[in-house]
Amino acid sequence: MKVLITGKNGQLAQELIKRKPAHIELLALARSELDITNGSQVMQAIADYQPAVVINAAAYTAVDKAEEEVEQAYAANATGPENLAIACKEMGARLIHISTDFVFNGDKSTPYKEQDQVQPLGVYGQSKAAGEAAIQRTLPQALILRTAWVYSAHGANFANTMLRLMKERDQLGVVADQIGTPTSTHTLAEAIYGLLEKPDAEGIYHCTDAGTASWYDFAVAIYEEGKASGLLPAEKQVQIKPIATADYPTPASRPAYSVLDKSRLTAALNRDLPHWRHALLEIFREKSQA
């Protein structure tokens, strides 16, 4: 099976490359090789490679910066996915697109289901919701995978930022009133490859690790597992204080609750997803062995 991945330099694409099953032939392209906002470039790349599946791991993910860079956010998160959907429809390829929990406003107190109404709070979420709508309009049988709070052993993400700050500081304040689920790229990549083997899988699926956490809970776990795995010095003491969103104002509003219901995905894959705390341990094991 030939698979084309966009956004080669991102943490998800790197995980997909690393975990590639033997029967898959993979071509991963960076933005410098394939700019998904360029429709003719997208059509040419898919025509040249003739993939059975395109996985769109390219996105504009700077949530706060998106409030100012509206055009760039929409180009990458709405126009780009639409270009891919048009080309996949033309070439008969399957499309798997990665979306986000930020398409929801966070007003619920129970996990969001795939069919719940999208109502994003900021430009990033609005641009991702526009991308979902464009794909569904153009290629209804495409597969959209919403995820949240993604991190990996490498790259810029919350886990790696916290580890760095914990080495530098003795005290940290972390938001405790935003609830979601950290998601390891291990889990996300395995779910994507699992869905590749399900030709009938289409529409929207939710994929995060199991369980729930606040950013504060996640930070405390990073501290504890960082020490246990040797990524933080055993003698280093850091006081982690829970703070309110109001105490840490950001340009973009974030959903207060964005836990995703994964039951449709677990039914499709016929297996449970790992708890986020266990997934964190696996990521830190990988980091400590690097």
Side-chain angles (χ1 to χ4, degrees):
M1 185 192 298
K2 292 174 76 171
V3 176
L4 173 67
I5 297 176
T6 65
K8 177 183 178 179
N9 296 326
Q11 57 184 353
L12 174 57
Q14 287 297 305
E15 197 71 56
L16 287 165
I17 293 165
K18 191 162 48 181
R19 290 175 173 263
K20 181 188 81 69
H23 70 284
I24 286 179
E25 179 188 322
L26 208 60
L27 175 65
L29 298 175
R31 186 181 175 187
S32 58
E33 300 165 300
L34 173 59
D35 179 357
I36 64 168
T37 69
N38 184 320
S40 58
Q41 223 182 85
V42 169
M43 192 69 78
Q44 191 65 55
I46 294 176
D48 288 347
Y49 188 58
Q50 294 285 314
V53 183
V54 174
I55 301 172
N56 182 32
Y60 180 106
T61 57
V63 176
D64 289 319
K65 206 183 282 188
E67 294 299 309
E68 291 182 355
E69 297 184 349
V70 178
E71 198 175 311
Q72 294 95 314
Y74 269 86
N77 294 342
T79 305
E82 184 173 23
N83 289 338
L84 289 165
I86 291 167
C88 285
K89 183 179 182 179
E90 179 78 18
M91 302 295 170
R94 191 178 176 200
L95 176 62
I96 298 179
H97 171 70
I98 311 303
S99 194
T100 174
D101 59 324
F102 274 57
V103 297
F104 298 117
N105 65 11
D107 284 353
K108 279 188 78 176
S109 55
T110 55
Y112 279 94
K113 296 181 180 294
E114 287 83 356
Q115 66 271 24
D116 283 337
Q117 184 183 358
V118 300
Q119 200 170 356
L121 297 175
V123 171
Y124 167 67
Q126 290 159 4
S127 67
K128 292 294 283 186
E132 289 186 6
I135 288 171
Q136 291 181 305
R137 197 168 52 241
T138 307
L139 191 67
Q141 66 269 37
L143 198 157
I144 295 169
L145 200 62
R146 292 188 186 128
T147 189
W149 298 24
V150 178
Y151 69 100
S152 70
H154 311 287
N157 56 62
F158 183 81
N160 287 334
T161 298
M162 284 294 111
L163 283 175
R164 176 177 57 78
L165 292 175
M166 287 167 185
K167 289 173 186 172
E168 296 172 356
R169 302 182 189 177
D170 299 323
Q171 188 172 299
L172 288 172
V174 184
V175 171
D177 57 358
Q178 290 173 24
I179 308 299
T181 309
T183 306
S184 155
T185 50
H186 290 186
T187 300
L188 199 47
E190 290 300 322
I192 290 168
Y193 281 131
L195 289 168
L196 278 188
E197 304 306 318
K198 312 283 182 184
D200 295 334
E202 59 181 51
I204 301 173
Y205 290 81
H206 287 170
C207 178
T208 68
D209 283 313
T212 63
S214 67
W215 290 109
Y216 168 77
D217 297 329
F218 193 16
V220 169
I222 289 164
Y223 179 60
E224 292 172 356
E225 300 296 359
K227 280 194 159 192
S229 60
L231 294 172
L232 290 172
E235 69 279 1
K236 185 73 165 71
Q237 296 299 312
V238 182
Q239 184 185 11
I240 305 170
K241 297 170 63 177
I243 63 171
T245 297
D247 297 328
Y248 186 72
T250 55
S253 297
R254 287 157 167 78
Y257 181 91
S258 62
V259 178
L260 302 178
D261 183 310
K262 280 83 68 179
S263 52
R264 184 169 192 243
L265 178 66
T266 56
L269 298 177
N270 196 28
R271 62 177 171 83
D272 290 331
L273 299 167
H275 190 275
W276 69 266
R277 184 88 190 220
H278 177 74
L280 177 65
L281 187 61
E282 289 295 314
I283 288 281
F284 278 9
R285 197 171 286 148
E286 179 188 337
K287 278 184 75 70
S288 62
Q289 292 169 354

